Amino acid sequence: MDGSISPKPARPMARGRLFFANPGPTNIPDSVLAATARASIDFNDPAFLAVYDACFEGLKKVLKTKHHLFMYTASGHGAWEASLVNTLSPGDLVLIPETGHFSDSWAKMCGTLGFEVQQVPADWRRGVEISAIEAALAADKDHKIKAVCCVHNETAAGTRLPLDQVRAAMDRVKHPALLMSDTISSLGCYDFRMDEWGVDVCVGGSQKGLMLPTGFSFTGASEKAMEAHRKSTHPRHYFDWTEMLARRQKSFVGTVPTTLFYGLQESLRLMLVEEGLDNVFARHARLAKAVRACVQHWSGNNGPQLYCQNPERWSDSVTAVLMPEGYDAEPVRKIALERFNVSTGGGLNKLAGKVFRIGHLGDLNEPMIIGTLGSIEMALGLAGVPHAKGGVQAALDSLAAG
């Protein structure tokens, strides 16, 4: 480095717009970017508080809840930690259904924070069995399990977990544990119904379906969760809900990220007013179906295939693509990025090098999906990966069918 503030780019920059097909962060709409270009304002200024309050209520509409909402200047991992330390006490036992990398991460965090962890093992490609969750809860006769921590959408594996079925299993065995859900890569992409599904604690972030820069996250908390909070003895300060409730904003211990709220106001307008939430969900489902049709076609000639083998668990946010035996996903990702300016997600945890991930969440449409898939198909060919050509046409046929 020569001390220059304009270092040489790490890779040659292609002209035209980057096709960003990562599973998060996601594309940010131009109108949201423009909305965040605001001068600083006192977070207690009445003009800002009106925006803040409107965002609070709008976000509750996306969560489909009338319960409490707490926000933090942190990524989704911060909201995970806040949810745990506000509702549990040291030594409490939590049950975590295995879904993939992020359920493992949540389990690791729980252990670090002093909680006992019991996992429900599962095949990442099939998804955890609801019956296995129910059996684990039924075996807990003394109700030592204080929370069931679920990842609604497992970004690493491209799978979803039906939370309504988890709640039904808990109710069948009359287990009093809190139901916690990570909605980070599902919220705003497909339906989430906090109150109807009996979710006590839900965790979300700004940089996925909400189409915002990374910077804040949040927790929805039911009355049952608030009662658990009042009994919790876990140390906390920055994430303390009691501290937050004493503030005008009912969130944030410290400075509020004001500019992000102007972006959130616009994002909520796009979702709730301009497009409509049901149409947002339908668009995600339509685009996800097209991506899967493409990958299923590529699987011919012993090519890449869908990592998730259970159609009932396919994600509408991200598709994980499993490489053929003996082929590394990273050269494909490298060619797609350097030759075609298309950014995809890599494999996480035990899937590193074995899969690449196509994010189809947030601000995107049919031409963006087709351009992404076309570039990946070219990258597969250039990397010498066997596949059946014509996957893009399969995606086009899927989109044309509606």
Side-chain angles (χ1 to χ4, degrees):
M1 293 290 290
D2 60 4
S4 169
I5 61 171
S6 300
K8 182 179 179 181
R11 63 180 177 87
M13 294 302 293
R15 300 276 58 85
R17 191 160 189 165
L18 171 68
F19 273 44
F20 196 71
N22 278 54
T26 62
N27 297 293
I28 303 172
D30 290 341
S31 64
V32 172
L33 286 172
T36 61
R38 303 280 304 204
S40 296
I41 186 172
D42 186 336
F43 57 79
N44 287 309
D45 188 302
F48 173 72
L49 289 173
V51 173
Y52 182 92
D53 290 344
C55 287
F56 227 67
E57 293 308 310
L59 191 51
K60 284 186 176 184
K61 290 179 181 178
V62 179
L63 290 166
K64 296 187 176 177
T65 185
K66 295 181 180 178
H67 290 307
H68 299 270
L69 185 62
F70 299 97
M71 297 187 181
Y72 329 96
T73 306
S75 70
H77 286 76
W80 270 0
E81 182 166 329
S83 301
L84 294 167
V85 300
N86 273 287
T87 57
L88 302 175
S89 297
D92 279 352
L93 176 63
V94 298
L95 184 72
I96 300 183
E98 185 180 12
T99 54
H101 172 75
F102 287 97
S103 65
D104 283 359
S105 295
W106 209 350
K108 182 179 179 181
M109 178 183 286
C110 286
T112 301
L113 292 172
F115 306 117
E116 297 296 321
V117 178
Q118 177 183 340
Q119 288 188 284
V120 181
D123 178 348
W124 287 17
R125 298 195 67 184
R126 299 291 308 174
V128 64
E129 296 289 343
I130 301 299
S131 59
I133 299 174
E134 184 171 344
L137 291 167
D140 180 32
K141 302 297 185 182
D142 296 330
H143 294 163
K144 292 181 179 179
I145 296 170
K146 302 303 179 184
V148 180
C149 300
C150 298
V151 177
H152 189 208
N153 186 85
E154 175 54 67
T155 321
T159 58
R160 73 168 80 191
L161 178 61
L163 293 173
D164 56 335
Q165 294 181 30
V166 176
R167 166 48 69 189
M170 295 175 71
D171 291 346
R172 280 194 294 271
V173 298
K174 296 180 172 57
H175 202 288
L178 296 170
L179 175 57
M180 297 187 177
S181 173
D182 170 344
T183 72
I184 294 169
S185 60
S186 61
L187 191 69
C189 305
Y190 49 88
D191 205 6
F192 179 78
R193 304 184 180 197
M194 180 178 174
D195 294 358
E196 182 180 328
W197 294 344
V199 177
D200 296 298
V201 175
C202 66
V203 172
S206 59
Q207 77 279 14
K208 304 274 188 174
L210 293 179
M211 307 176 290
L212 292 163
T214 306
F216 78 81
S217 54
F218 49 88
T219 301
S222 70
E223 291 300 331
K224 182 177 176 181
M226 294 306 297
E227 180 61 28
H229 167 67
R230 287 185 280 271
K231 297 176 180 177
S232 167
T233 61
H234 202 288
R236 54 186 178 264
H237 177 75
Y238 181 71
F239 289 127
D240 191 354
W241 292 350
T242 297
E243 289 278 341
M244 294 177 183
L245 287 170
R247 292 165 60 88
R248 161 61 177 82
Q249 293 82 7
K250 308 300 181 187
S251 289
F252 298 106
V253 174
T255 305
V256 178
T258 54
T259 55
L260 288 178
F261 279 88
Y262 289 99
L264 178 57
Q265 181 183 44
E266 173 60 11
S267 173
L268 291 169
R269 187 193 69 80
L270 294 175
M271 296 171 66
L272 297 172
V273 179
E274 185 173 290
E275 186 172 8
L277 204 53
D278 287 343
N279 292 327
V280 171
F281 300 154
R283 172 169 54 85
H284 278 80
R286 184 171 65 251
L287 298 179
K289 182 180 177 182
V291 172
R292 291 192 292 266
C294 179
V295 177
Q296 287 171 314
H297 186 92
W298 286 341
S299 68
N301 193 29
N302 297 315
Q305 57 184 276
L306 294 173
Y307 181 76
C308 179
Q309 296 178 310
N310 183 353
E312 294 182 357
R313 299 293 179 88
W314 283 338
S315 166
D316 284 346
S317 300
V318 54
T319 295
V321 183
L322 180 65
M323 295 292 288
E325 187 69 31
Y327 291 87
D328 190 342
E330 291 310 297
V332 177
R333 295 184 62 234
K334 188 172 187 290
I335 293 169
L337 182 60
E338 294 185 354
R339 287 284 300 271
F340 307 119
N341 213 20
V342 171
S343 177
T344 58
L348 300 174
N349 202 303
K350 67 182 182 181
L351 300 182
K354 297 181 180 180
V355 307
F356 63 89
R357 296 175 298 147
I358 304 171
H360 34 79
L361 69 165
D363 183 42
L364 75 169
N365 58 21
E366 287 82 352
M368 296 164 74
I369 287 293
I370 293 303
T372 295
L373 295 175
S375 298
I376 294 172
E377 186 162 325
M378 287 189 288
L380 288 170
L382 292 169
V385 177
H387 64 285
K389 295 182 178 180
V392 176
Q393 185 60 55
L396 288 169
D397 292 342
S398 173
L399 292 169

